[in-house]
Amino acid sequence: MCGRYSLRKPYIAISEHFSVQLDLFEFGPRYNIAPGQQVAVLIREREQLTLVGMKWGLVPFWAKDPKIGNRLINARVETVSEKPAFRTALRTRRCILPADGFYEWNSAAASPRPVHFRFEDDRLFGLAGLWDEWEGPGGALRSCTILTRPANEVVAPVHHRMPVMFTEPEEIEGWLAPGPAPPVSTLELCGRRTRLQAHPASGRVNDPTFEGQDCLIPAPPSGWLF
DNA sequence: CCAGACGTTGTT
DNA sequence: GTCTGG
DNA sequence: CCAGACGTTGTT
DNA sequence: GTCTGG
Protein backbone atom coordinates (compact mmCIF):
# COMPACT_ATOMS: atom_id res chain seq x y z
CA MET A 1 0.00 0.00 0.00
CA CYS A 2 1.14 3.53 0.31
CA GLY A 3 0.75 5.30 3.63
CA ARG A 4 3.81 7.55 3.65
CA TYR A 5 6.00 9.19 1.01
CA SER A 6 8.60 11.88 0.42
CA LEU A 7 8.96 14.97 -1.76
CA ARG A 8 12.36 16.41 -1.01
CA LYS A 9 12.98 18.33 -4.24
CA PRO A 10 12.60 22.11 -4.23
CA TYR A 11 9.53 23.63 -5.85
CA ILE A 12 11.46 24.80 -8.90
CA ALA A 13 12.56 21.22 -9.73
CA ILE A 14 9.01 19.95 -9.42
CA SER A 15 7.62 22.77 -11.50
CA GLU A 16 10.14 22.08 -14.28
CA HIS A 17 9.85 18.29 -14.16
CA PHE A 18 6.08 18.32 -14.54
CA SER A 19 5.89 21.44 -16.77
CA VAL A 20 3.57 23.20 -14.36
CA GLN A 21 2.46 26.64 -15.55
CA LEU A 22 1.24 28.25 -12.37
CA ASP A 23 3.05 29.09 -9.18
CA LEU A 24 0.22 28.76 -6.68
CA PHE A 25 1.71 27.94 -3.33
CA GLU A 26 4.97 27.42 -1.50
CA PHE A 27 6.16 24.30 0.21
CA GLY A 28 9.44 23.02 1.57
CA PRO A 29 11.24 19.66 1.39
CA ARG A 30 9.09 16.85 2.80
CA TYR A 31 10.68 13.69 4.22
CA ASN A 32 7.60 12.20 5.84
CA ILE A 33 4.29 13.00 4.21
CA ALA A 34 1.45 11.32 6.11
CA PRO A 35 -2.29 10.86 5.48
CA GLY A 36 -4.44 13.73 6.68
CA GLN A 37 -1.81 16.29 5.73
CA GLN A 38 -1.87 18.91 2.99
CA VAL A 39 -0.06 17.57 -0.09
CA ALA A 40 0.95 18.90 -3.51
CA VAL A 41 -1.27 17.58 -6.31
CA LEU A 42 -1.06 18.00 -10.07
CA ILE A 43 -4.42 18.35 -11.83
CA ARG A 44 -5.73 19.49 -15.19
CA GLU A 45 -7.95 22.45 -14.61
CA ARG A 46 -9.28 24.83 -17.27
CA GLU A 47 -7.05 23.15 -19.90
CA GLN A 48 -3.93 23.73 -17.82
CA LEU A 49 -1.76 21.70 -15.52
CA THR A 50 -1.87 23.16 -12.03
CA LEU A 51 -0.14 22.26 -8.81
CA VAL A 52 -2.53 22.71 -5.91
CA GLY A 53 -2.67 21.81 -2.23
CA MET A 54 -5.12 19.13 -1.08
CA LYS A 55 -5.77 17.00 1.95
CA TRP A 56 -4.62 13.37 1.62
CA GLY A 57 -7.67 11.20 2.39
CA LEU A 58 -10.51 11.45 -0.11
CA VAL A 59 -13.80 12.98 0.99
CA PRO A 60 -16.34 12.17 -1.77
CA PHE A 61 -18.57 15.05 -2.89
CA TRP A 62 -21.61 13.28 -1.42
CA ALA A 63 -20.13 12.69 2.02
CA LYS A 64 -22.14 13.80 5.05
CA ASP A 65 -19.17 13.54 7.39
CA PRO A 66 -15.67 14.48 6.19
CA LYS A 67 -14.18 11.97 8.65
CA ILE A 68 -14.71 9.36 5.91
CA GLY A 69 -11.51 10.75 4.38
CA ASN A 70 -9.44 9.21 7.17
CA ARG A 71 -10.15 5.81 5.70
CA LEU A 72 -9.96 6.63 1.99
CA ILE A 73 -6.21 7.20 1.70
CA ASN A 74 -5.73 4.44 -0.90
CA ALA A 75 -7.81 2.94 -3.71
CA ARG A 76 -7.12 -0.52 -5.10
CA VAL A 77 -6.61 -0.26 -8.85
CA GLU A 78 -8.18 -3.69 -9.32
CA THR A 79 -11.55 -2.50 -8.01
CA VAL A 80 -11.46 1.30 -8.20
CA SER A 81 -13.92 1.56 -11.10
CA GLU A 82 -16.64 -0.25 -9.12
CA LYS A 83 -16.38 1.51 -5.79
CA PRO A 84 -19.00 4.19 -5.05
CA ALA A 85 -16.42 6.32 -3.28
CA PHE A 86 -14.05 6.39 -6.27
CA ARG A 87 -15.75 5.68 -9.58
CA THR A 88 -16.92 9.23 -10.34
CA ALA A 89 -13.50 10.63 -9.51
CA LEU A 90 -11.89 7.95 -11.71
CA ARG A 91 -13.88 9.24 -14.67
CA THR A 92 -13.44 12.95 -14.17
CA ARG A 93 -10.93 13.80 -11.44
CA ARG A 94 -7.66 11.94 -11.84
CA CYS A 95 -4.51 13.50 -10.42
CA ILE A 96 -0.77 13.02 -9.94
CA LEU A 97 1.03 13.39 -6.63
CA PRO A 98 4.65 14.40 -7.26
CA ALA A 99 6.99 12.22 -5.17
CA ASP A 100 10.61 11.13 -4.99
CA GLY A 101 10.19 8.15 -2.68
CA PHE A 102 7.69 6.16 -0.69
CA TYR A 103 7.88 4.12 2.51
CA GLU A 104 6.68 0.59 3.17
CA TRP A 105 6.81 -1.36 6.45
CA ASN A 106 7.53 -5.06 6.57
CA SER A 107 4.92 -6.20 9.01
CA ALA A 108 6.34 -9.71 9.00
CA ALA A 109 9.44 -8.39 10.77
CA ALA A 110 9.69 -8.63 14.56
CA SER A 111 9.96 -4.85 14.87
CA PRO A 112 8.89 -3.33 11.59
CA ARG A 113 11.04 -0.51 10.34
CA PRO A 114 10.28 1.54 7.27
CA VAL A 115 12.02 1.04 3.95
CA HIS A 116 12.35 4.02 1.61
CA PHE A 117 11.90 3.17 -2.08
CA ARG A 118 13.42 5.60 -4.55
CA PHE A 119 15.07 5.52 -7.97
CA GLU A 120 18.77 4.94 -8.44
CA ASP A 121 19.14 8.49 -9.79
CA ASP A 122 16.70 9.84 -7.17
CA ARG A 123 14.45 11.20 -9.91
CA LEU A 124 11.00 12.61 -9.39
CA PHE A 125 7.99 10.48 -10.27
CA GLY A 126 4.22 10.71 -10.10
CA LEU A 127 1.88 8.74 -7.88
CA ALA A 128 -1.46 8.03 -9.57
CA GLY A 129 -4.35 9.49 -7.62
CA LEU A 130 -7.93 10.68 -7.62
CA TRP A 131 -9.31 13.86 -6.13
CA ASP A 132 -12.68 15.24 -5.15
CA GLU A 133 -14.26 18.41 -3.82
CA TRP A 134 -16.60 18.46 -0.83
CA GLU A 135 -18.73 21.44 0.12
CA GLY A 136 -18.62 21.83 3.88
CA PRO A 137 -19.82 24.52 6.27
CA GLY A 138 -16.36 26.08 6.16
CA GLY A 139 -16.23 26.12 2.35
CA ALA A 140 -14.87 23.71 -0.25
CA LEU A 141 -12.49 20.91 0.77
CA ARG A 142 -10.30 19.36 -1.89
CA SER A 143 -8.90 15.96 -1.05
CA CYS A 144 -7.19 13.06 -2.78
CA THR A 145 -6.31 9.36 -2.60
CA ILE A 146 -3.43 7.25 -3.98
CA LEU A 147 -4.00 4.19 -6.15
CA THR A 148 -2.34 0.94 -5.14
CA ARG A 149 -1.40 -2.22 -7.07
CA PRO A 150 0.32 -5.53 -6.37
CA ALA A 151 4.00 -5.07 -5.51
CA ASN A 152 6.63 -5.42 -8.23
CA GLU A 153 9.76 -7.54 -7.71
CA VAL A 154 11.62 -4.71 -5.97
CA VAL A 155 8.94 -4.00 -3.38
CA ALA A 156 7.61 -7.55 -2.91
CA PRO A 157 10.27 -8.64 -0.35
CA VAL A 158 9.05 -5.87 1.96
CA HIS A 159 5.34 -5.60 1.22
CA HIS A 160 2.72 -7.04 -1.12
CA ARG A 161 1.21 -3.71 -2.24
CA MET A 162 2.73 -0.54 -3.69
CA PRO A 163 1.49 2.72 -5.20
CA VAL A 164 0.69 3.02 -8.89
CA MET A 165 3.52 5.21 -10.11
CA PHE A 166 4.47 6.92 -13.38
CA THR A 167 7.93 7.88 -14.52
CA GLU A 168 7.32 8.77 -18.18
CA PRO A 169 5.79 12.10 -19.23
CA GLU A 170 3.45 10.25 -21.64
CA GLU A 171 2.13 8.14 -18.78
CA ILE A 172 1.43 11.23 -16.71
CA GLU A 173 -0.22 13.05 -19.62
CA GLY A 174 -2.29 9.96 -20.34
CA TRP A 175 -3.49 9.73 -16.77
CA LEU A 176 -4.43 13.43 -16.63
CA ALA A 177 -5.99 13.58 -20.11
CA PRO A 178 -9.76 14.18 -20.23
CA GLY A 179 -11.93 11.19 -21.03
CA PRO A 180 -12.01 7.63 -19.75
CA ALA A 181 -9.19 6.40 -17.51
CA PRO A 182 -6.47 4.31 -19.15
CA PRO A 183 -7.16 0.57 -18.79
CA VAL A 184 -5.88 -1.19 -15.69
CA SER A 185 -3.55 -3.40 -17.73
CA THR A 186 -1.56 -0.27 -18.63
CA LEU A 187 -1.30 0.79 -15.02
CA GLU A 188 -0.07 -2.60 -13.90
CA LEU A 189 2.93 -2.32 -16.22
CA CYS A 190 4.09 1.07 -14.99
CA GLY A 191 7.19 1.15 -12.85
CA ARG A 192 8.19 -2.40 -13.73
CA ARG A 193 11.27 -1.70 -15.82
CA THR A 194 12.60 1.08 -13.65
CA ARG A 195 15.60 1.13 -11.37
CA LEU A 196 13.75 1.36 -8.13
CA GLN A 197 15.86 0.68 -5.05
CA ALA A 198 15.08 -0.20 -1.44
CA HIS A 199 16.84 1.75 1.32
CA PRO A 200 16.34 0.97 5.01
CA ALA A 201 15.08 4.11 6.73
CA SER A 202 14.88 5.42 10.28
CA GLY A 203 12.33 4.27 12.85
CA ARG A 204 11.70 8.00 13.36
CA VAL A 205 9.51 7.83 10.27
CA ASN A 206 6.98 5.90 12.37
CA ASP A 207 6.04 9.14 14.08
CA PRO A 208 3.90 10.96 11.51
CA THR A 209 4.75 14.32 13.06
CA PHE A 210 8.50 13.84 12.62
CA GLU A 211 9.93 15.71 9.65
CA GLY A 212 13.50 16.23 8.54
CA GLN A 213 16.31 14.48 6.77
CA ASP A 214 17.00 12.12 9.69
CA CYS A 215 14.13 10.06 8.25
CA LEU A 216 16.55 8.63 5.68
CA ILE A 217 19.24 7.57 8.16
CA PRO A 218 19.23 3.76 8.00
CA ALA A 219 17.76 1.90 10.95
CA PRO A 220 20.34 0.52 13.39
CA PRO A 221 21.05 -3.23 13.07
CA SER A 222 18.39 -5.39 14.70
CA GLY A 223 19.32 -6.21 18.28
CA TRP A 224 20.81 -2.74 18.76
CA LEU A 225 18.93 -1.39 21.73
CA PHE A 226 19.71 2.29 21.37
C1' DC B 1 -40.33 2.10 0.31
C1' DC B 2 -36.38 3.96 3.71
C1' DA B 3 -31.79 3.34 6.04
C1' DG B 4 -27.24 2.83 5.73
C1' DA B 5 -23.04 2.22 3.50
C1' DC B 6 -19.78 4.05 0.54
C1' DG B 7 -12.47 1.74 2.09
C1' DT B 8 -7.76 -0.39 2.69
C1' DT B 9 -4.52 -2.50 5.38
C1' DG B 10 -2.94 -6.57 7.97
C1' DT B 11 -3.86 -10.31 10.92
C1' DT B 12 -6.28 -14.31 12.80
C1' DG C 1 -10.10 -3.76 20.00
C1' DT C 2 -11.13 0.13 17.15
C1' DC C 3 -11.32 4.70 15.81
C1' DT C 4 -9.22 9.35 15.05
C1' DG C 5 -5.63 12.39 13.84
C1' DG C 6 -1.27 13.50 11.66
C1' DC D 1 1.15 4.17 7.23
C1' DC D 2 1.83 4.74 12.73
C1' DA D 3 0.64 6.93 17.29
C1' DG D 4 -2.48 7.88 20.55
C1' DA D 5 -6.88 8.04 22.48
C1' DC D 6 -10.56 5.60 24.25
C1' DG D 7 -15.22 9.85 29.22
C1' DT D 8 -18.56 12.72 31.81
C1' DT D 9 -19.73 16.30 34.82
C1' DG D 10 -20.12 21.14 35.84
C1' DT D 11 -18.10 25.54 35.61
C1' DT D 12 -15.47 29.39 33.39
C1' DG E 1 -24.96 10.45 -5.72
C1' DT E 2 -26.06 5.59 -5.98
C1' DC E 3 -26.36 1.01 -4.57
C1' DT E 4 -27.51 -2.73 -1.22
C1' DG E 5 -30.12 -4.69 2.32
C1' DG E 6 -34.16 -4.96 5.17
Side-chain angles (χ1 to χ4, degrees):
Chain A
M1 68 101 48
C2 184
R4 234 48 99 73
Y5 69 99
S6 64
L7 183 57
R8 296 161 288 145
K9 301 283 191 300
Y11 180 87
I12 185 70
I14 297 160
S15 149
E16 282 173 7
H17 185 90
F18 293 101
S19 309
V20 179
Q21 305 292 333
L22 304 176
D23 192 349
L24 284 186
F25 70 107
E26 293 295 321
F27 54 89
R30 300 294 309 277
Y31 283 78
N32 193 9
I33 299 172
Q37 296 177 347
Q38 203 73 5
V39 296
V41 180
L42 192 61
I43 60 174
R44 178 181 295 277
E45 196 170 44
R46 293 184 299 272
E47 312 285 307
Q48 281 212 321
L49 286 188
T50 309
L51 197 56
V52 298
M54 289 189 196
K55 186 183 165 81
W56 180 10
L58 189 129
V59 181
F61 65 95
W62 43 256
K64 293 188 187 76
D65 185 348
K67 284 203 294 271
I68 192 175
N70 293 336
R71 301 193 299 289
L72 306 184
I73 66 170
N74 290 139
R76 294 173 67 92
V77 72
E78 300 95 320
T79 55
V80 65
S81 64
E82 304 155 15
K83 301 293 183 183
F86 301 134
R87 59 193 168 191
T88 308
L90 179 69
R91 276 190 272 112
T92 61
R93 288 183 297 273
R94 298 185 293 276
C95 66
I96 291 288
L97 292 83
D100 50 32
F102 62 92
Y103 298 96
E104 299 289 352
W105 281 257
N106 185 349
S107 50
S111 58
R113 289 190 183 272
V115 174
H116 188 246
F117 291 92
R118 59 180 180 264
F119 285 108
E120 189 175 40
D121 61 1
D122 207 13
R123 70 194 295 169
L124 280 161
F125 54 86
L127 302 173
L130 307 174
W131 68 281
D132 214 329
E133 190 165 291
W134 180 78
E135 291 295 337
L141 171 70
R142 283 181 167 187
S143 60
C144 60
T145 191
I146 296 173
L147 269 65
T148 66
R149 44 160 281 189
N152 67 10
E153 65 276 12
V154 178
V155 178
V158 176
H159 196 73
H160 68 111
R161 304 289 297 175
M162 67 179 286
V164 175
M165 52 196 295
F166 301 124
T167 53
E168 307 307 314
E170 329 60 274
E171 294 174 333
I172 290 169
E173 286 161 23
W175 182 247
L176 294 178
V184 169
S185 55
T186 312
L187 303 178
E188 301 279 357
L189 287 171
C190 293
R192 204 162 273 188
R193 288 171 300 152
T194 47
R195 293 169 168 270
L196 195 65
Q197 293 181 334
H199 299 267
S202 168
R204 299 258 246 159
V205 177
N206 291 8
D207 178 354
T209 66
F210 182 78
E211 279 283 350
Q213 53 190 21
D214 284 2
C215 285
L216 293 186
I217 294 175
S222 62
W224 191 264
L225 292 179
F226 309 100

